[in-house]
Amino acid sequence: MGRLTTHVLDTATGRPAEGLTIELWRISLDAQLLGSYVTNADGRIDQPLLSGEAFASGTYELRFHAGDYLRATVPGLAEPLFLDVIPIRFGIADAMAHYHVPLLISPFSYATYRGS
């Protein structure tokens, strides 16, 4: 069976982004919140965000609450922050595959890609 995972790295410090809240939404006619998670010391979630029968093809969105993380870790940032909640909308076509959606963040930029 397939699974969905993520990983967040703070590129400004060169360290994993510990304590960052992530929401997983399934996007259809109405968006449905599937779960809320907090990254561990390695910038990861301790289990797959989706796996088993819950892992299905469709459109999903990860909402990374970068603003809360940045306020807690970078002193002196001007408000409002340049980045706050970062939504990454993506599709799962193959319910048997591993989808890894990492996020690289700093106070003024972010990047993502389909990882392995």
PDB file of all heavy atoms in Angstrom, residues 47-66:
ATOM      1  N   GLN A  47       4.700   9.144  12.077  1.00  0.00           N
ATOM      2  CA  GLN A  47       4.048   8.105  11.279  1.00  0.00           C
ATOM      3  C   GLN A  47       3.634   8.716   9.943  1.00  0.00           C
ATOM      4  O   GLN A  47       3.608   9.935   9.802  1.00  0.00           O
ATOM      5  CB  GLN A  47       2.814   7.558  12.020  1.00  0.00           C
ATOM      6  CG  GLN A  47       1.645   8.530  12.119  1.00  0.00           C
ATOM      7  CD  GLN A  47       1.773   9.584  13.199  1.00  0.00           C
ATOM      8  OE1 GLN A  47       2.586   9.451  14.099  1.00  0.00           O
ATOM      9  NE2 GLN A  47       1.003  10.654  13.109  1.00  0.00           N
ATOM     10  N   PRO A  48       3.303   7.875   8.952  1.00  0.00           N
ATOM     11  CA  PRO A  48       2.807   8.443   7.693  1.00  0.00           C
ATOM     12  C   PRO A  48       1.548   9.285   7.935  1.00  0.00           C
ATOM     13  O   PRO A  48       0.732   8.961   8.811  1.00  0.00           O
ATOM     14  CB  PRO A  48       2.486   7.211   6.850  1.00  0.00           C
ATOM     15  CG  PRO A  48       3.330   6.122   7.415  1.00  0.00           C
ATOM     16  CD  PRO A  48       3.412   6.418   8.897  1.00  0.00           C
ATOM     17  N   LEU A  49       1.388  10.346   7.171  1.00  0.00           N
ATOM     18  CA  LEU A  49       0.193  11.175   7.268  1.00  0.00           C
ATOM     19  C   LEU A  49      -1.026  10.421   6.753  1.00  0.00           C
ATOM     20  O   LEU A  49      -2.136  10.611   7.247  1.00  0.00           O
ATOM     21  CB  LEU A  49       0.382  12.468   6.472  1.00  0.00           C
ATOM     22  CG  LEU A  49       1.584  13.321   6.877  1.00  0.00           C
ATOM     23  CD1 LEU A  49       1.794  14.437   5.889  1.00  0.00           C
ATOM     24  CD2 LEU A  49       1.401  13.860   8.263  1.00  0.00           C
ATOM     25  N   LEU A  50      -0.802   9.613   5.743  1.00  0.00           N
ATOM     26  CA  LEU A  50      -1.837   8.739   5.187  1.00  0.00           C
ATOM     27  C   LEU A  50      -1.184   7.417   4.846  1.00  0.00           C
ATOM     28  O   LEU A  50      -0.068   7.386   4.332  1.00  0.00           O
ATOM     29  CB  LEU A  50      -2.428   9.317   3.896  1.00  0.00           C
ATOM     30  CG  LEU A  50      -3.468  10.411   3.968  1.00  0.00           C
ATOM     31  CD1 LEU A  50      -3.847  10.863   2.558  1.00  0.00           C
ATOM     32  CD2 LEU A  50      -4.697   9.978   4.731  1.00  0.00           C
ATOM     33  N   SER A  51      -1.904   6.336   5.091  1.00  0.00           N
ATOM     34  CA  SER A  51      -1.426   5.013   4.701  1.00  0.00           C
ATOM     35  C   SER A  51      -2.607   4.049   4.750  1.00  0.00           C
ATOM     36  O   SER A  51      -3.701   4.402   5.214  1.00  0.00           O
ATOM     37  CB  SER A  51      -0.299   4.529   5.615  1.00  0.00           C
ATOM     38  OG  SER A  51      -0.758   4.404   6.949  1.00  0.00           O
ATOM     39  N   GLY A  52      -2.394   2.828   4.291  1.00  0.00           N
ATOM     40  CA  GLY A  52      -3.434   1.811   4.324  1.00  0.00           C
ATOM     41  C   GLY A  52      -4.648   2.205   3.509  1.00  0.00           C
ATOM     42  O   GLY A  52      -4.540   2.852   2.466  1.00  0.00           O
ATOM     43  N   GLU A  53      -5.814   1.860   4.004  1.00  0.00           N
ATOM     44  CA  GLU A  53      -7.056   2.146   3.282  1.00  0.00           C
ATOM     45  C   GLU A  53      -7.361   3.636   3.204  1.00  0.00           C
ATOM     46  O   GLU A  53      -8.089   4.077   2.309  1.00  0.00           O
ATOM     47  CB  GLU A  53      -8.218   1.401   3.926  1.00  0.00           C
ATOM     48  CG  GLU A  53      -8.152  -0.097   3.717  1.00  0.00           C
ATOM     49  CD  GLU A  53      -9.374  -0.807   4.246  1.00  0.00           C
ATOM     50  OE1 GLU A  53     -10.425  -0.163   4.429  1.00  0.00           O
ATOM     51  OE2 GLU A  53      -9.269  -2.022   4.468  1.00  0.00           O
ATOM     52  N   ALA A  54      -6.831   4.428   4.117  1.00  0.00           N
ATOM     53  CA  ALA A  54      -7.053   5.877   4.092  1.00  0.00           C
ATOM     54  C   ALA A  54      -6.297   6.553   2.947  1.00  0.00           C
ATOM     55  O   ALA A  54      -6.644   7.656   2.542  1.00  0.00           O
ATOM     56  CB  ALA A  54      -6.629   6.496   5.417  1.00  0.00           C
ATOM     57  N   PHE A  55      -5.279   5.880   2.424  1.00  0.00           N
ATOM     58  CA  PHE A  55      -4.472   6.444   1.341  1.00  0.00           C
ATOM     59  C   PHE A  55      -5.174   6.160   0.017  1.00  0.00           C
ATOM     60  O   PHE A  55      -5.257   5.017  -0.420  1.00  0.00           O
ATOM     61  CB  PHE A  55      -3.067   5.828   1.353  1.00  0.00           C
ATOM     62  CG  PHE A  55      -2.120   6.478   0.394  1.00  0.00           C
ATOM     63  CD1 PHE A  55      -1.501   7.668   0.717  1.00  0.00           C
ATOM     64  CD2 PHE A  55      -1.849   5.901  -0.833  1.00  0.00           C
ATOM     65  CE1 PHE A  55      -0.618   8.281  -0.159  1.00  0.00           C
ATOM     66  CE2 PHE A  55      -0.971   6.499  -1.716  1.00  0.00           C
ATOM     67  CZ  PHE A  55      -0.353   7.690  -1.378  1.00  0.00           C
ATOM     68  N   ALA A  56      -5.699   7.189  -0.602  1.00  0.00           N
ATOM     69  CA  ALA A  56      -6.457   7.038  -1.839  1.00  0.00           C
ATOM     70  C   ALA A  56      -6.070   8.128  -2.825  1.00  0.00           C
ATOM     71  O   ALA A  56      -5.590   9.195  -2.441  1.00  0.00           O
ATOM     72  CB  ALA A  56      -7.953   7.123  -1.540  1.00  0.00           C
ATOM     73  N   SER A  57      -6.287   7.856  -4.102  1.00  0.00           N
ATOM     74  CA  SER A  57      -6.006   8.886  -5.098  1.00  0.00           C
ATOM     75  C   SER A  57      -6.944  10.067  -4.874  1.00  0.00           C
ATOM     76  O   SER A  57      -8.040   9.924  -4.338  1.00  0.00           O
ATOM     77  CB  SER A  57      -6.148   8.318  -6.513  1.00  0.00           C
ATOM     78  OG  SER A  57      -7.463   7.887  -6.732  1.00  0.00           O
ATOM     79  N   GLY A  58      -6.476  11.238  -5.270  1.00  0.00           N
ATOM     80  CA  GLY A  58      -7.270  12.448  -5.100  1.00  0.00           C
ATOM     81  C   GLY A  58      -6.380  13.660  -4.954  1.00  0.00           C
ATOM     82  O   GLY A  58      -5.159  13.583  -5.125  1.00  0.00           O
ATOM     83  N   THR A  59      -6.999  14.772  -4.632  1.00  0.00           N
ATOM     84  CA  THR A  59      -6.284  16.033  -4.436  1.00  0.00           C
ATOM     85  C   THR A  59      -6.222  16.331  -2.943  1.00  0.00           C
ATOM     86  O   THR A  59      -7.234  16.237  -2.239  1.00  0.00           O
ATOM     87  CB  THR A  59      -6.985  17.178  -5.183  1.00  0.00           C
ATOM     88  OG1 THR A  59      -7.072  16.837  -6.571  1.00  0.00           O
ATOM     89  CG2 THR A  59      -6.232  18.486  -5.024  1.00  0.00           C
ATOM     90  N   TYR A  60      -5.043  16.685  -2.487  1.00  0.00           N
ATOM     91  CA  TYR A  60      -4.789  16.940  -1.070  1.00  0.00           C
ATOM     92  C   TYR A  60      -4.072  18.273  -0.914  1.00  0.00           C
ATOM     93  O   TYR A  60      -3.502  18.809  -1.869  1.00  0.00           O
ATOM     94  CB  TYR A  60      -3.928  15.829  -0.470  1.00  0.00           C
ATOM     95  CG  TYR A  60      -4.614  14.489  -0.457  1.00  0.00           C
ATOM     96  CD1 TYR A  60      -4.579  13.659  -1.565  1.00  0.00           C
ATOM     97  CD2 TYR A  60      -5.317  14.058   0.664  1.00  0.00           C
ATOM     98  CE1 TYR A  60      -5.222  12.428  -1.573  1.00  0.00           C
ATOM     99  CE2 TYR A  60      -5.956  12.833   0.678  1.00  0.00           C
ATOM    100  CZ  TYR A  60      -5.904  12.022  -0.448  1.00  0.00           C
ATOM    101  OH  TYR A  60      -6.547  10.812  -0.431  1.00  0.00           O
ATOM    102  N   GLU A  61      -4.058  18.771   0.310  1.00  0.00           N
ATOM    103  CA  GLU A  61      -3.317  19.990   0.612  1.00  0.00           C
ATOM    104  C   GLU A  61      -2.676  19.848   1.988  1.00  0.00           C
ATOM    105  O   GLU A  61      -3.347  19.470   2.948  1.00  0.00           O
ATOM    106  CB  GLU A  61      -4.247  21.201   0.595  1.00  0.00           C
ATOM    107  CG  GLU A  61      -3.522  22.524   0.773  1.00  0.00           C
ATOM    108  CD  GLU A  61      -4.446  23.698   0.536  1.00  0.00           C
ATOM    109  OE1 GLU A  61      -4.790  23.958  -0.640  1.00  0.00           O
ATOM    110  OE2 GLU A  61      -4.844  24.341   1.528  1.00  0.00           O
ATOM    111  N   LEU A  62      -1.392  20.118   2.049  1.00  0.00           N
ATOM    112  CA  LEU A  62      -0.680  20.241   3.310  1.00  0.00           C
ATOM    113  C   LEU A  62      -0.576  21.729   3.628  1.00  0.00           C
ATOM    114  O   LEU A  62      -0.162  22.519   2.770  1.00  0.00           O
ATOM    115  CB  LEU A  62       0.715  19.623   3.223  1.00  0.00           C
ATOM    116  CG  LEU A  62       0.763  18.104   3.165  1.00  0.00           C
ATOM    117  CD1 LEU A  62       2.168  17.627   2.831  1.00  0.00           C
ATOM    118  CD2 LEU A  62       0.300  17.512   4.485  1.00  0.00           C
ATOM    119  N   ARG A  63      -0.967  22.104   4.823  1.00  0.00           N
ATOM    120  CA  ARG A  63      -0.845  23.498   5.262  1.00  0.00           C
ATOM    121  C   ARG A  63       0.205  23.536   6.365  1.00  0.00           C
ATOM    122  O   ARG A  63      -0.009  23.059   7.483  1.00  0.00           O
ATOM    123  CB  ARG A  63      -2.183  24.028   5.755  1.00  0.00           C
ATOM    124  CG  ARG A  63      -3.220  24.093   4.644  1.00  0.00           C
ATOM    125  CD  ARG A  63      -4.552  24.595   5.110  1.00  0.00           C
ATOM    126  NE  ARG A  63      -5.532  24.474   4.031  1.00  0.00           N
ATOM    127  CZ  ARG A  63      -6.826  24.659   4.191  1.00  0.00           C
ATOM    128  NH1 ARG A  63      -7.303  25.002   5.383  1.00  0.00           N
ATOM    129  NH2 ARG A  63      -7.641  24.515   3.168  1.00  0.00           N
ATOM    130  N   PHE A  64       1.343  24.107   6.023  1.00  0.00           N
ATOM    131  CA  PHE A  64       2.471  24.211   6.939  1.00  0.00           C
ATOM    132  C   PHE A  64       2.362  25.547   7.683  1.00  0.00           C
ATOM    133  O   PHE A  64       2.405  26.605   7.061  1.00  0.00           O
ATOM    134  CB  PHE A  64       3.787  24.150   6.161  1.00  0.00           C
ATOM    135  CG  PHE A  64       4.022  22.848   5.460  1.00  0.00           C
ATOM    136  CD1 PHE A  64       3.545  22.630   4.177  1.00  0.00           C
ATOM    137  CD2 PHE A  64       4.738  21.830   6.072  1.00  0.00           C
ATOM    138  CE1 PHE A  64       3.773  21.433   3.511  1.00  0.00           C
ATOM    139  CE2 PHE A  64       4.965  20.621   5.420  1.00  0.00           C
ATOM    140  CZ  PHE A  64       4.487  20.427   4.144  1.00  0.00           C
ATOM    141  N   HIS A  65       2.252  25.505   8.990  1.00  0.00           N
ATOM    142  CA  HIS A  65       2.102  26.717   9.796  1.00  0.00           C
ATOM    143  C   HIS A  65       3.491  27.278  10.113  1.00  0.00           C
ATOM    144  O   HIS A  65       3.939  27.275  11.265  1.00  0.00           O
ATOM    145  CB  HIS A  65       1.279  26.412  11.042  1.00  0.00           C
ATOM    146  CG  HIS A  65      -0.158  26.158  10.714  1.00  0.00           C
ATOM    147  ND1 HIS A  65      -1.143  27.092  10.879  1.00  0.00           N
ATOM    148  CD2 HIS A  65      -0.756  25.069  10.160  1.00  0.00           C
ATOM    149  CE1 HIS A  65      -2.293  26.602  10.472  1.00  0.00           C
ATOM    150  NE2 HIS A  65      -2.086  25.366  10.024  1.00  0.00           N
ATOM    151  N   ALA A  66       4.125  27.785   9.076  1.00  0.00           N
ATOM    152  CA  ALA A  66       5.491  28.290   9.177  1.00  0.00           C
ATOM    153  C   ALA A  66       5.581  29.544  10.032  1.00  0.00           C
ATOM    154  O   ALA A  66       6.574  29.749  10.734  1.00  0.00           O
ATOM    155  CB  ALA A  66       6.046  28.569   7.779  1.00  0.00           C
TER     156      ALA A  66
END
